[in-house]
Amino acid sequence: MPVSVVWFKRDLRVSDNHALTEACKSPHPVICLFNIEPERLNRKDVSEIHIQWELDCARALGKSLEHLGGKLLFNFGNVVNTLSELHEEYEIASVFSHEETGLNWSWGRDKSVTKWCKENGASFTEYPSNGVIRGLQSRDNWKGQRDARVESELISTPVSIQSPDDLKSDRIPDAKEIGVKPRELLERPIAGEKAAISVLFSFLDERGRKYRSGMSSPILGRQACSRLSPYISTGCITIRQILHYSRRKQKQVRVNPRSAENRGWTSSLSSFQSRLAWHCHFIQRLEFETTMDEIAINPELDGHLERSHDEGRYQAWANGQTGWPFFDACMRSLTATGWINFRMRAMLQSVASYTLWLPWQDTGMHLARLFLDYEPGIHWSQVHMQSGVTGINSVRAYSVRKQSEDQDPEGNFIREWVPELTSVPAEFIHEPWLMTQEQQELYACEIGTDYPSPIVDEKTSRKEGVSKSYSAKSKPDVKKRSILVYEVHGSRKRRNG
Ligand SMILES: Cc1cc2nc3c(=O)[nH]c(=O)nc-3n(C[C@H](O)[C@H](O)[C@H](O)COP(=O)(O)OP(=O)(O)OC[C@H]3O[C@@H](n4cnc5c(N)ncnc54)[C@H](O)[C@@H]3O)c2cc1C
């Protein structure tokens, strides 16, 4: 009996899902498949929290599919082998999936599926799910194409899914059943499409009012930011859906923007929508360069910088033991929760690259594993930018001291995540090493024993990093490459991020 297969990857939802809707229009019964390749577990950028999250989202997807009469098969193995097995049993006529923009590994896997389909007489159709344009000829035309895509009508959810009569859904296993040691996160979000929609509405109904004013703070940002990123990265919700409802809110606000009820919303919604555009802008970079985890988009610039690994510095950075309280609080908070706001992510990467002069590949990989919302296209683009290896963005090295005073003046965030400093007053909380011996005793925190001394002098090292970066950026071969980088990757409206 011929069947259509919907191969779910990072599109774990039934609504606004072109592949699923088109498969249901085909004349054949539909089999839904979610596959995890064992090789992924060994990839350096994949961690246990990602696999746990995907499995949880897949479990929620399975329930939504069942409501529609669909069945979700799960397989832990090579996807081509899985298709071959299904083909023997059912004869696959068509495979439907979404266009995934990933690193070389996922490209290779998707190409092997294309090849398998060709060899076995099955059609393979991949549908875009965001504003990333496959085969884009020029960045000049990108914005128009992206806008048309994300502003188009939402794809309707199939009314029902006809599955082969003899087919049963598989149970989605727990992470440990496939050999992944679970790691619990504090404040772990609820998985799945329904939860994604409810997080979106809690943002658009209330939390988002303070988005503009609260997004840069690691404390206020927890509530004020949308917190949609883990859902977007596993495809529990699309950028088109988010934009659709955010525009609807914008229309309501425009009727009377100055009313007490609408205060704060105009600027917040506009900032939020810019970020939704950045999402696609950055992933478009990876669509062109699938080796961004290894090779800088400006390799000449990266070559001149000559950063080098230093295990002591790396460990202190990665474990939140640098001796800079605000930095350590941010790293520890991220490690415990799987999320931190944009500005603090930028600071974590910038300190690694400019102040500690560590290679961005290692530090970017560490952050990738910590972010529950790891999205390769955004992640590696941002790692490049915050490490100054694009040649088209300004050199921006974050000062920990400034961020600490701006974002956590009283030191409350620091005390929450760095209990060694619980008794240290606001006066010394940003630079506790300035306390005298007597004060250290008084506040029960001996620097160098209870809490580390600063790993390097932050100001001096950061300035050195900045100056080496400017000098590398001015080399003729770097300038030449930067022109090309701008042609291929540069934002045509204004430089962002
Ligand atoms: C070094 C570094 C690494 C990053 N890695 C990731 C990553 O792996 N995955 C990821 O989703 N984001 C990443 N970001 C971007 C940003 O920090 C997160 O998208 C954001 O903090 C997620 O929280 P939110 O959903 O509440 O964001 P909101 O501020 O509510 O934004 C809504 C959505 O817009 C998009 N967005 C927001 N800011 C950016 C940005 N600067 N660039 C591109 N898209 C953006 C995201 O899809 C986000 O979910 C990274 C930033 C830096 C500096």
Side-chain angles (χ1 to χ4, degrees):
M1 180 213 329
V3 292
S4 294
V5 170
V6 184
W7 175 29
F8 284 91
K9 295 183 286 177
R10 294 173 60 212
D11 56 344
L12 304 178
R13 66 183 183 282
V14 296
S15 58
D16 200 32
N17 188 328
H18 212 157
L20 177 66
T21 300
E22 288 303 315
C24 291
K25 288 184 196 160
S26 79
H28 310 299
V30 172
I31 294 180
C32 298
L33 171 69
F34 176 63
N35 191 79
I36 291 192
E37 292 76 15
E39 302 152 71
R40 270 196 68 215
L41 309 189
N42 300 323
R43 286 192 50 78
K44 280 201 214 149
D45 59 341
V46 175
S47 72
E48 58 285 59
I49 59 171
H50 301 144
I51 302 291
Q52 274 171 276
W53 176 245
E54 278 174 40
L55 289 170
D56 289 352
C57 292
R59 211 168 289 121
L61 170 72
K63 283 192 190 144
S64 305
L65 288 168
E66 289 220 332
H67 280 302
L68 300 170
K71 306 279 159 36
L72 182 62
L73 299 188
F74 171 76
N75 188 62
F76 179 55
N78 181 298
V79 69
V80 166
N81 295 344
T82 315
L83 291 173
S84 296
E85 282 163 24
L86 283 174
H87 195 47
E88 266 179 31
E89 212 176 328
Y90 291 102
E91 190 195 333
I92 298 176
S94 319
V95 177
F96 297 84
S97 197
H98 77 114
E99 283 177 358
E100 178 173 344
T101 305
L103 294 165
N104 259 346
W105 179 83
S106 68
W107 277 105
R109 178 204 54 193
D110 293 359
K111 274 192 223 150
S112 68
V113 170
T114 308
K115 183 164 171 274
W116 182 90
C117 286
K118 257 191 202 143
E119 288 169 358
N120 289 277
S123 63
F124 181 35
T125 320
E126 293 168 285
Y127 295 89
S129 57
N130 53 27
V132 176
I133 311 296
R134 188 148 286 181
L136 183 74
Q137 295 302 312
S138 158
R139 263 283 177 172
D140 293 343
N141 310 324
W142 178 73
K143 191 179 172 302
Q145 294 183 56
R146 178 256 172 202
D147 288 352
R149 178 83 68 67
V150 294
E151 285 167 14
S152 62
E153 289 288 303
L154 300 180
I155 311 283
S156 31
T157 308
V159 182
S160 68
I161 303 171
Q162 194 214 333
S163 315
D165 293 337
D166 58 341
L167 193 73
K168 284 207 174 79
S169 289
D170 285 329
R171 190 180 65 83
I172 304 290
D174 290 331
K176 52 181 181 299
E177 292 175 72
I178 59 167
V180 174
K181 198 167 158 235
R183 180 163 84 80
E184 289 313 320
L185 288 175
L186 289 178
E187 302 170 12
R188 192 160 186 276
I190 298 170
E193 178 174 4
K194 279 191 188 152
I197 296 285
S198 102
V199 170
L200 172 64
F201 285 122
S202 78
F203 178 72
L204 292 177
D205 289 344
E206 188 52 49
R207 292 186 295 115
R209 180 199 296 275
K210 297 204 173 130
Y211 180 69
R212 183 94 192 100
S213 55
M215 65 160 91
S216 298
S217 153
I219 309 161
L220 303 177
R222 285 177 188 163
Q223 279 293 316
C225 289
S226 73
R227 310 296 303 269
L228 284 165
S229 52
Y231 298 104
I232 304 173
S233 71
T234 40
C236 292
I237 194 164
T238 61
I239 294 290
R240 181 165 40 205
Q241 288 174 302
I242 301 170
L243 192 61
H244 174 89
Y245 291 109
S246 131
R247 288 264 161 88
R248 198 174 72 175
K249 172 79 183 180
Q250 207 167 29
K251 262 194 193 161
Q252 292 163 5
V253 170
R254 274 192 189 137
V255 175
N256 191 357
R258 297 211 174 137
S259 69
E261 191 196 349
N262 290 334
R263 202 163 298 139
W265 277 109
T266 305
S267 60
S268 283
L269 287 170
S270 149
S271 297
F272 180 60
Q273 287 170 8
S274 303
R275 269 127 194 107
L276 297 179
W278 294 1
H279 172 99
C280 304
H281 166 76
F282 288 119
I283 300 179
Q284 187 72 51
R285 289 190 179 175
L286 188 66
E287 183 73 22
F288 282 116
E289 313 222 13
T290 56
T291 52
M292 286 177 71
D293 55 334
E294 291 169 354
I295 305 170
I297 56 176
N298 195 322
E300 285 79 3
L301 174 52
D302 197 28
H304 288 299
L305 292 172
E306 291 182 339
R307 292 183 168 118
S308 60
H309 185 77
D310 176 313
E311 189 59 17
R313 286 184 178 198
Y314 175 79
Q315 290 300 338
W317 174 87
N319 294 308
Q321 295 286 349
T322 60
W324 301 313
F326 184 67
F327 179 94
D328 291 341
C330 289
M331 186 61 97
R332 295 182 194 184
S333 163
L334 166 64
T335 308
T337 66
W339 186 87
I340 197 150
N341 61 326
F342 170 78
R343 180 164 303 199
M344 274 51 260
R345 292 185 196 209
M347 181 189 76
L348 293 176
Q349 185 60 52
S350 148
V351 165
S353 297
Y354 287 106
T355 315
L356 298 175
W357 211 244
L358 293 166
W360 56 267
Q361 289 90 339
D362 301 342
T363 50
M365 207 53 93
H366 181 73
L367 292 180
R369 293 172 61 81
L370 294 184
F371 294 146
L372 182 62
D373 58 26
Y374 172 52
E375 171 64 64
I378 302 179
H379 184 70
W380 293 106
S381 297
Q382 284 290 347
V383 168
H384 286 197
M385 284 204 311
Q386 309 303 339
S387 306
V389 293
T390 68
I392 60 168
N393 301 101
S394 45
V395 172
R396 183 159 193 211
Y398 283 76
S399 151
V400 177
R401 162 138 203 170
K402 180 172 185 331
Q403 292 306 316
S404 188
E405 287 175 348
D406 287 355
Q407 307 303 338
D408 189 25
E410 298 304 317
N412 295 332
F413 182 72
I414 295 175
R415 287 187 206 91
E416 182 182 350
W417 295 103
V418 186
E420 301 94 300
L421 302 175
T422 307
S423 322
V424 175
E427 188 190 352
F428 294 110
I429 198 78
H430 307 288
E431 296 180 317
W433 58 91
L434 297 181
M435 292 190 291
T436 61
Q437 196 57 43
E438 205 180 321
Q439 284 160 334
Q440 293 183 31
E441 275 164 30
L442 180 66
Y443 302 127
C445 179
E446 197 169 322
I447 300 301
T449 308
D450 302 320
Y451 182 67
S453 311
I455 178 122
V456 293
D457 180 89
E458 202 235 332
K459 198 170 170 190
T460 316
S461 299
R462 178 165 41 82
K463 285 195 164 169
E464 262 172 37
V466 168
S467 130
K468 285 193 265 186
S469 297
Y470 276 119
S471 132
K473 217 178 158 188
S474 66
K475 304 260 189 255
D477 58 338
V478 172
K479 285 186 166 171
K480 208 166 144 198
R481 170 69 69 172
S482 301
I483 295 170
L484 289 176
V485 173
Y486 176 76
E487 271 305 304
V488 183
H489 296 295
S491 162
R492 295 301 189 261
K493 212 171 146 217
R494 64 189 134 99
R495 310 265 161 109
N496 55 28

